[in-house]
Amino acid sequence: MHITRLSTHHFRNHRARDVTWSPHLNLITGPNGAGKTNLMDAVHYLCMSRSFVSSSDRYVVSEGESEFRIDGDFKGEIRSEFRVSCLYSRGEGKRIFVNDSPLDRISDLIGMVPVVVLSPEDRKLTAEGPSERRSFLDGLISQISSKYLHSLMKYRRIRKQRNRLLQEFEGSSQQLRSLLEPWDVQLVEEGSNIVARRYEVLSAFRQFLVDQFKALYEIDLQPDLTYQTFCEPGEDVAQIQQQYEKVLASSREKEFERGTTLVGPHRDEVVFYLGEMELRNYGSQGQHRLFSVALKLAQLFYYSNLLEDDPIMLLDDVFGNLDRQKTTILLDTLQKHPGQILITSASEAPFRELSATPGSELLWYRLEDGELIEK
Amino acid sequence: MQITSEALERAVEQLAKLPGTGRKSARRIAMYLLKQNKEAVFELADALKELKTSVIRCSQCGTVSDTDPCRICGSPKRSAHQICVVEEFQDVYFIEKTNEFRGRYHVLGGVISPMENIGPDNIRIKELIERVGESGEEIREVILALNPDAEGEATAYYIHKLLKPFDVEVTRIAYGIPMGSDLEYIDEATLSRAFASRNAI
């Protein structure tokens, strides 16, 4: 799957209206602040319906404007050609159109064009709290399973309703228990689906991570990950449900006291290791950086191994932070990916020796003063 | 800016409150009405007034009606053995359009949703249980036709539990694939639900 044309209107400070892309390697170089990331983010919007930089759509609208629009033409194996449009206005919010017909749910977009992003934001992935890793995991699975995404959204809703009861209910704990029951049943059902799927995907993903990290890091340290949840995870949903019910029942008093749901996949954690060492607490800056690169490359190859259509890979401002040797390894690895790659960089140096290999096109743009010029 | 007609502005303001109408379309409707003859506009105004003065709720099923009991609850042709539980009165209209169901209805007037401060006591669950209890053994089946979202399912579960002591069968409409659609275009969640509730042929 690849994007052939992108056009934006009132999207951040991006002025170049119409951009055509190569199905393989695309480079955008230019000074910092020229708007390279905006181009990447516009493509990301058309794949994931949101920004990978800003937390809210509001911040993405050009200053002084009240709406933005992004259109992209895509070409793939399963669907030959189609157009995705994302419209946002302050009053009406966000709407997504595929071939000019609106999607009932924005979430229906997810997975249509699989995408992997590597950006400086990924520093958080290995260094910060568990919610960063949960959202990586959710993004990883949602793009390959709409059922997972559906479970996730339903679980979130059930948990909100349940939390509200736990917070606000004034009555006997017996009454509260009978009011909670219809939510508990659903919490266990959807929550267990989520845990089983996370376990299943991580078990397969792990090997991709190991391979990618080992290719990048010359020191012999075995990378690893473990998935931690409220029980011993596995693929057997019925067994997880049983455990879930048990743990939920034993946490009831505590939940009444704290007024919030204490057991479930919303508290899951994925722990990354290098050898015996827990990366989050003991990894060096360089190790963190390489680990997040390996995670995203693993995601890329996990997808292309699994899906008919190759995902689009976005690398935003990544090369400035890598030494020469790592840069070479990364570029070599990327050239093995048959799908589309979009790279932004302030420096041109890493790409000087890069040339189009037979059968793969290379398109190089320079972005300066808002103008995109083919190099 | 100078407003030339207060009455027109008032009409626009009222129309703009309707669902699906912004100020622009409200103004268009107001201008249209202004150009119509008096009788047509008065007819519309009367119909709107009537809506609030003549339409009442059926004391049995809770649906909107001009009569009490409503035409469905009062009809001898409708089976008293089956009750179909729905969220809102417009659901009655949708099910009636199919001409498939020959029993009676029970309109809950909402679903359980703590976030909106709607508990079981705020919707007509108690009335349903009473209806089943008072009917003796006349009501044999309660069909739950609620939306398959978190709130609809929580409500279905709650009702099912309250009905357990009674000698009544509780069923739920099937989740499935819309007629005329292609398997290829069905999302995974719907498809796996449809699989789980498959039937023998």
Side-chain angles (χ1 to χ4, degrees):
Chain A
M1 185 86 65
H2 63 275
I3 184 165
T4 55
R5 210 191 111 252
L6 171 77
S7 83
T8 60
H9 187 65
H10 292 165
F11 184 75
R12 296 185 186 270
N13 65 351
H14 182 56
R15 273 182 287 154
R17 292 279 152 76
D18 241 311
V19 190
T20 48
W21 302 96
S22 140
H24 302 115
L25 199 52
N26 298 271
L27 286 176
I28 304 135
T29 54
N32 288 324
K36 302 186 295 295
T37 300
N38 299 345
L39 275 171
M40 298 277 127
D41 211 18
V43 176
H44 192 264
Y45 254 100
L46 298 178
C47 303
M48 297 296 280
S49 79
R50 60 180 175 79
S51 166
F52 71 86
V53 191
S54 301
S55 52
S56 166
D57 299 323
R58 275 180 296 147
Y59 307 133
V60 176
V61 186
S62 304
E63 231 184 295
E65 302 294 340
S66 62
E67 51 186 42
F68 70 75
R69 179 187 178 111
I70 312 166
D71 295 276
D73 292 337
F74 292 87
K75 219 171 178 173
E77 297 293 327
I78 300 171
R79 272 175 190 246
S80 50
E81 277 179 37
F82 59 100
R83 167 172 291 190
V84 179
S85 313
C86 175
L87 277 71
Y88 169 84
S89 77
R90 290 229 159 94
E92 289 180 69
K94 187 163 46 188
R95 282 160 303 155
I96 308 279
F97 296 78
V98 174
N99 287 337
D100 296 322
S101 69
L103 293 184
D104 292 339
R105 293 168 299 188
I106 287 180
S107 62
D108 289 343
L109 177 71
I110 314 297
M112 208 173 279
V113 184
V115 69
V116 178
V117 196
L118 181 58
S119 82
E121 296 285 307
D122 290 326
R123 190 191 52 82
K124 298 181 193 158
L125 195 51
T126 56
E128 292 189 1
S131 67
E132 298 290 336
R133 286 174 290 288
R134 279 195 299 271
S135 51
F136 168 69
L137 190 54
D138 289 341
L140 175 72
I141 310 174
S142 295
Q143 292 195 71
I144 54 170
S145 167
S146 66
K147 190 185 169 200
Y148 179 82
L149 181 58
H150 186 266
S151 288
L152 209 59
M153 293 194 299
K154 197 161 172 191
Y155 178 82
R156 221 170 272 165
R157 179 85 192 165
I158 295 161
R159 191 160 63 86
K160 266 191 189 167
Q161 293 280 22
R162 202 175 175 275
N163 285 347
R164 186 62 181 259
L165 265 178
L166 285 166
Q167 273 157 29
E168 311 250 310
F169 186 75
E170 289 165 2
S172 73
S173 68
Q174 200 188 340
Q175 277 173 310
L176 177 55
R177 207 168 292 188
S178 84
L179 286 174
L180 277 175
E181 202 183 317
W183 303 105
D184 288 358
V185 174
Q186 298 189 74
L187 189 80
V188 167
E189 190 189 333
E190 296 301 343
S192 302
N193 287 339
I194 293 170
V195 170
R197 200 65 208 259
R198 283 181 178 174
Y199 175 81
E200 184 201 330
V201 168
L202 282 176
S203 307
F205 178 78
R206 192 179 150 272
Q207 192 55 49
F208 287 87
L209 174 69
V210 170
D211 293 346
Q212 292 306 323
F213 188 83
K214 283 192 159 172
L216 281 168
Y217 201 47
E218 64 280 14
I219 298 167
D220 188 27
L221 262 180
Q222 178 75 17
D224 206 351
L225 59 80
T226 58
Y227 171 44
Q228 298 176 348
T229 185
F230 52 82
C231 65
E232 190 63 48
E235 284 180 39
D236 185 348
V237 178
Q239 213 165 350
I240 300 168
Q241 284 186 359
Q242 263 180 17
Q243 293 292 320
Y244 203 162
E245 275 164 17
K246 228 189 259 171
V247 186
L248 195 63
S250 66
S251 323
R252 191 155 286 151
E253 294 307 317
K254 231 185 191 170
E255 285 196 327
F256 287 1
E257 222 172 88
R258 301 248 200 104
T260 187
T261 303
L262 293 172
V263 187
H266 64 290
R267 295 169 70 110
D268 281 358
E269 167 69 301
V270 179
V271 185
F272 298 138
Y273 295 94
L274 279 181
E276 300 290 302
M277 174 187 81
E278 204 179 300
L279 179 70
R280 184 181 168 199
N281 298 323
Y282 302 105
S284 70
Q285 275 212 28
Q287 288 170 333
H288 275 282
R289 199 172 297 141
L290 289 183
F291 207 95
S292 57
V293 173
L295 275 170
K296 292 307 176 76
L297 289 175
Q299 184 181 7
L300 179 71
F301 290 105
Y302 174 68
Y303 281 171
S304 45
N305 187 51
L306 195 73
L307 303 171
E308 290 286 319
D309 262 318
D310 281 312
I312 299 179
M313 177 85 193
L314 307 176
L315 294 100
D316 185 41
D317 198 14
V318 178
F319 285 90
N321 294 319
L322 295 174
D323 64 37
R324 223 181 137 152
Q325 186 215 1
K326 303 280 186 294
T327 300
T328 312
I329 299 172
L330 180 55
L331 282 173
D332 282 350
T333 310
L334 288 173
Q335 285 194 304
K336 280 185 209 139
H337 172 57
Q340 189 175 39
I341 301 167
L342 277 60
I343 298 173
T344 70
S345 172
S347 157
E348 295 185 355
F351 315 107
R352 291 243 163 84
E353 278 146 51
L354 204 63
S355 56
T357 49
S360 103
E361 284 173 50
L362 170 67
L363 188 61
W364 192 333
Y365 285 118
R366 275 193 64 87
L367 184 61
E368 240 173 297
D369 303 322
E371 295 296 326
L372 210 52
I373 302 146
E374 203 176 323
K375 206 179 129 112
Chain B
M1 184 188 143
Q2 187 64 52
I3 290 165
T4 55
S5 163
E6 288 281 352
L8 175 64
E9 293 309 310
R10 220 182 104 204
V12 171
E13 234 154 67
Q14 292 302 318
L15 287 167
K17 287 181 188 164
L18 300 177
T21 12
R23 287 198 73 87
K24 247 187 204 165
S25 30
R27 185 163 299 274
R28 211 165 52 230
I29 296 168
M31 297 304 266
Y32 168 81
L33 291 174
L34 209 53
K35 286 177 192 154
Q36 299 303 300
N37 62 37
K38 214 176 187 175
E39 287 71 35
V41 179
F42 277 31
E43 174 87 36
L44 174 66
D46 281 345
L48 291 175
K49 268 190 191 161
E50 195 99 339
L51 203 57
K52 285 312 277 187
T53 47
S54 311
V55 177
I56 51 166
R57 294 296 178 115
C58 170
S59 59
Q60 287 179 35
C61 71
T63 197
V64 289
S65 170
D66 306 330
T67 57
D68 189 19
C70 71
R71 291 192 180 89
I72 295 171
C73 288
S75 164
K77 287 184 186 163
R78 307 292 291 224
S79 160
H81 301 317
Q82 288 177 315
I83 285 192
C84 177
V85 179
V86 294
E87 184 178 332
E88 292 293 353
F89 58 79
Q90 57 263 37
D91 300 329
V92 172
Y93 169 79
F94 293 130
I95 296 173
E96 278 302 291
K97 255 187 14 186
T98 67
N99 273 324
E100 285 296 324
F101 179 63
R102 302 305 297 162
R104 291 174 184 163
Y105 292 93
H106 189 88
V107 180
L108 291 175
V111 281
I112 299 174
S113 175
M115 282 159 71
E116 291 154 284
N117 290 318
I118 303 171
D121 299 340
N122 304 109
I123 55 178
R124 301 179 66 251
I125 291 181
K126 205 177 84 219
E127 287 85 342
L128 173 67
I129 309 301
E130 280 169 7
R131 243 178 117 181
V132 173
E134 282 163 12
S135 83
E137 280 176 11
E138 204 179 26
I139 297 175
R140 291 176 199 157
E141 183 183 4
V142 172
I143 304 161
L144 302 173
L146 303 170
N147 288 323
D149 54 15
E151 291 74 22
E153 283 186 29
T155 309
Y157 184 92
Y158 196 85
I159 291 173
H160 181 212
K161 229 188 139 196
L162 290 180
L163 286 175
K164 263 188 186 156
F166 300 95
D167 185 23
V168 58
E169 194 184 358
V170 182
T171 58
R172 177 160 68 175
I173 56 166
Y175 305 118
I177 292 160
M179 297 291 277
S181 55
D182 227 50
L183 280 191
E184 190 187 342
Y185 298 113
I186 305 294
D187 67 283
E188 214 183 314
T190 306
L191 201 53
S192 52
R193 257 290 166 76
F195 247 96
S197 49
R198 66 185 179 277
N199 301 320
I201 49 169

